[in-house]
Amino acid sequence: MSKALCFKSVRIFAAGKLSSVQDFYTVDGRWSKDPVAGAEVVDVAGSWILPGLFALGVDFQEPIRDDIYTVKDGIEAMRRGGFSSAVYESPANPLDDIRKLKAMQDDCGKGGLEFHFLGALSVGNDGKALAEMLELSSGGVVGFGDGNHLPSSLRFLRFALEYAGMTGLRCFFQPSERSLMGKGCVHEGHYADTIGMKGIPSQAETIAVHQILELALWLQVPVHLKQLSCAESLNLVRNARARGVDVTCDVSIYHLLLDDACLLNLDTHTHLIPPLRTATDREALWQGLADGTVQAISCQHTPVLPQDKEVNFEEAMPGAVSLEIAFAALLPEAEKRFTNGISDLLRLLVDGPASILGLPARHLEPEVDCPFIVFKSDAEHVVTTQTFAGDVHNSPLLGSTLNGRVLGTCFDGMWRWNL
Amino acid sequence: MSFLQIKHLLGLRDVCKEDLRTILDNARQFREILDRPVKKVPSLRGVTVVNLFFENSTRTRISFELAEKRLSADSVNFTSSSSSLTKGESLLDTLKNIEAMKIDLVVVRHKGTGVPAFLARHSNAIIVNAGDGANEHPTQALLDMFTMEQRLGSLEGRVVTIVGDVRHSRVARSNIWGLTTLGAKVRLCGPATLMPRNREFFDAVGVEVISDVHKALDGADAVIALRLQKERQEDSLLPTLREYRNFFGVTKEALEHAKPEVLIMHPGPINRGVEIDSNVADGPNSVILDQVTNGVAVRMAVMYLLSGGHADE
């Protein structure tokens, strides 16, 4: 039996902009242009109806660390944050053969959300033996990557790119030259030197970016650079693109919201890899988003247990969760920096991720199947441990006040209020 | 005095169509001799041949030795493991010493590209390349072409698909040059990591590179499955032999896209279940053993013509 809903007095994001206030009718999750008699009223007056968001950089650490997080937790986090789609990659449990891929597809397929998967480039992400990429491709992966590892041997990287190139799929890399990173855990700059912490220079990223881009140009393989954090990396991307490299890139939410000035607080939630860079870098990342150098904002949702964060900074496990708060946290900054804040932010959280993977972006249109979310832009609230799904809350924004929140989601035709 | 335009057989890249025809036509007559009760002819009586095999070889070395014996040549064998090279002698010194023993023809196999050409520059003997590095293996390609012509007639316009590790294959390279000279269309198929990357010279002779084995076999008249060296996996060029077989193996299923009478060829030795399935290697379209037999005739023709004779003399 069909289920009709009426979201009264809302603004709908369609055709690239927010509409005037109107009623939004749906039948089984599809937008009905005409009013539907007897539709159940959902009281979200003053909210916005937005397309479901698309998360890049999602790792639920299944199935090896159920004590930290599960797929169920991850799906709950996505729902709370309004993400209906995600690219799953698993540094903890590399999808390096077809059986692992099928198992993850089965696990993630139960939540009514849309998951895409990155296959591994190498067995165990160890950068020594190629994964069965042709078989993984026929199994449905949308790209390849070795999680946060970059093969240490350029010769291996060359072969991996050549082999992956047969599939036409994009190869994802987090550019970091390990030998230059050493034991560093923060950006090597004024703040690191002020507090005497081992630093990771920007060059650890730019050198790796340069190597990847040179190989991509030579071998003509599409590549994606994850979580770029330095201004100079974006210049390298711009130059490479001008030379004919098919390169896309993303920047992560926290590199847009924070910079290394926050190191003085010694909050282990700001221990991220790549590290938070300088304010100048942060501005350059926003500029890269505005001028199209960067295609997407990634979540890099990395759950870490409190016990692994409640240690001194250098020993803390790097990583942060972000799905639940990403949109609300980014919106004020986007509105401040972009001409069309909401529109540009959705471009970077819906269209961008899809285009990187060669997938069609899903937009709200009458009678079209498209997951949507209800976002209230003036719902002030404090980020607490309860904001996050599962037993983790490792976010640098814990304790901050956000102005908006996702009130509910309609994914796979099912409306659900967020708790 | 050679009856060919070439003085040595170093490779097929620079061998003209006329020479190829002369060799293949003469090989046909030697092939007939091999079916006679008495298979020996006196054509190279008094000619001394040394087989210099710096690399391990079974079938090519035996094939050359048999060809020499059938032609009544005096032949001696040299293997690097039992030679003075292991005592530090240079290649050139070895050659000069052997030449001092009045050798007429040298058959050489070496892991180094260009060794036969090097010997040809420094020797008065006739040099026949029995395989140098990943460069050329001309007599293998000649016997491949001979076998194809036996079944298909003229190779003009015929489609020959070479599947496998082309990047490291001297067999593939010699076949590319020889087949295209005779007017055949050559397609290469294999993982990108096993394909030559810089293909201007191959493009110039119309070679196509197709990574999908089904498309590469579409309408093919002959398919040459190359031996896959298992070291390629250790060298990170391949994930697994299983994936290689599933995506690039010459299997019954893959051959459904080729012509029904497609010739199945392999230079040997075969890795069954890797580059070719047993039911294909042993199937009705397989000419793999014909290749081995024809190899002797082709090598007889090569040595005979380079030494200055015709088989029908």
Side-chain angles (χ1 to χ4, degrees), chain A residues 98 132 134-135 138 163, chain B residues 212-214 240-251 253-254 273-275 277:
Chain A
I98 195 84
E132 292 183 324
L134 296 180
E135 193 165 38
S138 63
Y163 200 83
Chain B
D212 181 327
V213 76
H214 295 163
T240 56
L241 298 181
R242 192 181 74 89
E243 172 150 305
Y244 182 85
R245 185 261 173 199
N246 288 344
F247 287 86
F248 300 102
V250 178
T251 62
E253 187 249 327
V274 181
E275 70 264 10
D277 278 2

Side-chain angles (χ1 to χ4, degrees), chain A residues 128 130-135 155-156 158-159 162-163 166 218-219, chain B residues 167 190-193 197 235-240 242-243 247-248:
Chain A
K128 288 179 183 156
L130 294 177
E132 292 183 324
M133 286 184 258
L134 296 180
E135 193 165 38
R155 187 167 180 273
F156 180 85
R158 173 243 168 110
F159 293 145
E162 268 188 311
Y163 200 83
M166 287 188 288
W218 174 35
L219 304 170
Chain B
R167 189 179 282 182
T193 43
R197 277 217 73 79
D235 209 19
S236 304
L237 292 160
L238 287 175
T240 56
R242 192 181 74 89
E243 172 150 305
F247 287 86
F248 300 102

Side-chain angles (χ1 to χ4, degrees), chain A residues 55-61 68-69 74 77 88-92 147-148 174 226-227 252-255 268-269 271-274 298-306 308-309 317-324 388-389 391-396:
Chain A
L56 279 182
V58 164
D59 175 20
F60 302 150
Q61 311 213 14
I68 300 178
Y69 218 60
Y88 191 89
E89 52 182 321
S90 182
N148 301 331
Q174 183 177 308
K226 300 193 299 184
Q227 299 191 78
S252 94
I253 163 176
Y254 291 121
H255 289 88
T268 57
H269 291 133
H271 185 174
L272 306 172
I273 299 293
S298 65
C299 293
Q300 299 306 332
H301 184 81
T302 309
V304 178
L305 282 176
D308 294 323
K309 281 292 188 186
M317 194 93 75
V321 286
S322 64
L323 286 169
E324 294 92 335
F388 300 96
D391 295 327
V392 303
H393 50 261
N394 54 303
S395 166

Side-chain angles (χ1 to χ4, degrees), chain B residues 1-3 22 26 30 43-44 301 303-313:
Chain B
M1 179 64 71
S2 171
F3 276 93
T22 306
N26 274 263
F30 282 114
S43 312
L44 289 194
M303 288 188 284
Y304 185 62
L305 290 166
L306 287 172
S307 302
H310 279 284
D312 55 357
E313 275 180 357

